[in-house]
Amino acid sequence: MTFFEPTDTAALTQAFPKLPFGLKHHFVGNPLLTLPTLAELVGRLPRDRLEYNSGSAAISQRPETTPTVDLEPEQIVRNIESAGAWMVLKSVEQEPAYRKMIESALMEVARTRGFDSLKAAGFEDIRGFIFVSSAQSTTPFHADADENFFFQIHGDKFFHVYDNRDRSIAPEEALEASAIKHRNLPYEAKFDAKCTTYKLKPGDGVFVPYQWPHWVRTADSYSISLSLTWKSQEVRRRNDIFAVNAMLRGVGMPQNPPGVNPALDAAKVAAFRAASAAVEPLRRNEGMRRAIRRLVKGRDANYYYREAGKPDVKAS
Ligand SMILES: [Fe+2]
């Protein structure tokens, strides 16, 4: 394959996408993933597609107290060896060159799994994220509301993944909050027993199933990582039910998690998608995206606009 090399093909064909597994890849050296190219990309991305803070965040980090870093985004990338920072470039698939690279990689996975298109393989709402972080930086414990191939490009990373299938780490309500409000989850020492650690060097990667909690720390060099995510129909449906449940919970109407009442779930999905379609044209404008996020997710939804030394969201 050009990009992607599962170390265990059975992992891609049997348990996928339910269990994590390690893999090898060929993204190292790709000119789209070097520091100078990424500095240029950061300079032209809209502000809401960048999130950055100090690399000294805790494993169990409350979002509102995440330590900030007093540097402009482009400076962070150009000085990542000394910046003590953590940054993510979001939705890089909106750039044509990155989209081509991402779709080519996922198409390799689709073919290995016996499908002849991304859609047939269940890869919808495909996105790319690039993480640029200084040595000894921590990505706090969190869960993501998508399925994720994570590829290490530069530097070493320790990627800790936790089995939460019995919900003993994060119950359904915490998973709903991580999907809708903020991804971070509280960490407790008793979770250690459920951890699998992947020691990733450039050329290594890991598949992270939907909402499997994880935290990450860079080793003694700066790090560049690429994350390719998608949402299958099943994942999108679950996320939409979470969104409706969160809104109803917000007005004092706690709901069952997805799956308990299939008929009610179907009604929630239909209502949410009709409302989302109605506001979609407004989302082309960054200011409107910001207003919609606040309306749907609450005041803290625009947390990543925080500026150094100003812990509260300004005019979100
Ligand atoms: Fe993550």
Side-chain angles (χ1 to χ4, degrees):
M1 291 194 192
T2 313
F3 294 107
F4 185 92
E5 204 178 297
T7 45
D8 172 11
T9 310
L12 258 188
T13 51
Q14 292 171 12
F16 189 82
K18 299 297 182 192
L19 295 174
F21 59 90
L23 54 94
K24 298 284 183 189
H25 66 83
H26 301 289
F27 286 105
V28 178
N30 190 306
L32 293 174
L33 301 169
T34 63
L35 275 187
T37 311
L38 294 174
E40 280 177 36
L41 177 59
V42 162
R44 63 176 187 269
L45 285 181
R47 179 61 186 84
D48 68 345
R49 283 168 53 198
L50 293 173
E51 183 178 337
Y52 55 94
N53 49 252
S54 164
S56 66
I59 298 168
S60 194
Q61 178 67 55
R62 282 171 48 217
E64 62 274 23
T65 59
T66 303
T68 53
V69 60
D70 192 11
L71 286 170
E72 290 300 313
E74 209 171 320
Q75 283 182 300
I76 289 176
V77 177
R78 294 196 188 281
N79 300 291
I80 196 64
E81 289 192 56
S82 58
W86 175 98
M87 170 181 274
V88 56
L89 289 63
K90 301 181 179 182
S91 288
V92 298
E93 80 289 345
Q94 293 184 32
E95 301 275 317
Y98 289 90
R99 178 152 203 101
K100 191 172 171 206
M101 175 183 80
I102 291 165
E103 290 188 342
S104 300
L106 288 179
M107 198 57 225
E108 291 179 6
V109 179
R111 281 198 206 95
T112 304
R113 301 196 61 238
F115 298 101
D116 60 3
S117 73
L118 294 171
K119 193 164 193 293
F123 296 142
E124 297 183 33
D125 196 4
I126 294 168
R127 299 193 187 198
F129 298 81
I130 298 171
F131 297 88
V132 182
S133 40
S134 301
Q136 306 295 333
S137 293
T138 299
T139 308
F141 191 54
H142 68 280
D144 297 307
D146 48 33
E147 292 162 323
N148 174 15
F149 280 122
F150 187 92
F151 303 103
Q152 188 60 12
I153 311 295
H154 186 280
D156 295 354
K157 240 177 189 178
F158 296 94
F159 202 109
H160 310 276
V161 185
Y162 295 73
D163 188 342
N164 189 40
R165 281 175 288 179
D166 61 6
R167 301 294 190 261
S168 62
I169 293 177
E172 289 285 351
E173 194 174 328
L175 293 177
E176 174 191 298
S178 80
I180 302 302
K181 294 187 181 301
H182 193 285
R183 61 187 176 270
N184 283 10
L185 294 166
Y187 191 83
E188 297 177 37
K190 67 181 181 187
F191 301 162
D192 290 356
K194 292 194 156 198
C195 177
T196 302
T197 299
Y198 295 85
K199 294 174 184 169
L200 304 180
K201 294 186 171 302
D204 294 333
V206 59
F207 169 70
V208 187
Y210 174 74
Q211 288 203 318
W212 276 52
H214 51 281
W215 69 275
V216 186
R217 183 169 282 158
T218 57
D220 52 6
S221 163
Y222 78 86
S223 166
I224 299 174
S225 315
L226 169 69
S227 170
L228 305 190
T229 74
W230 66 92
K231 297 183 181 78
S232 63
Q233 284 195 18
E234 186 186 337
V235 161
R236 286 195 299 134
R237 185 179 156 79
R238 192 172 167 84
N239 287 346
D240 290 352
I241 296 166
F242 273 152
V244 175
N245 285 357
M247 282 189 269
L248 293 174
R249 189 185 306 283
V251 294
M253 297 172 65
Q255 300 289 306
N256 283 320
V260 174
N261 184 335
L264 188 54
D265 285 351
K268 288 172 179 174
V269 169
F272 183 77
R273 291 184 181 174
S276 298
V279 299
E280 188 55 33
L282 302 174
R283 294 178 51 80
R284 291 187 199 115
N285 174 281
E286 186 192 341
M288 285 307 297
R289 289 200 296 275
R290 190 169 172 170
I292 292 167
R293 269 194 301 270
R294 178 170 181 184
L295 191 66
V296 175
K297 300 186 176 184
R299 179 176 172 77
D300 293 336
N302 291 306
Y303 63 90
Y304 42 81
Y305 282 96
R306 280 189 317 147
E307 293 174 14
K310 297 176 186 171
D312 292 316
V313 177
K314 250 182 36 167
S316 61

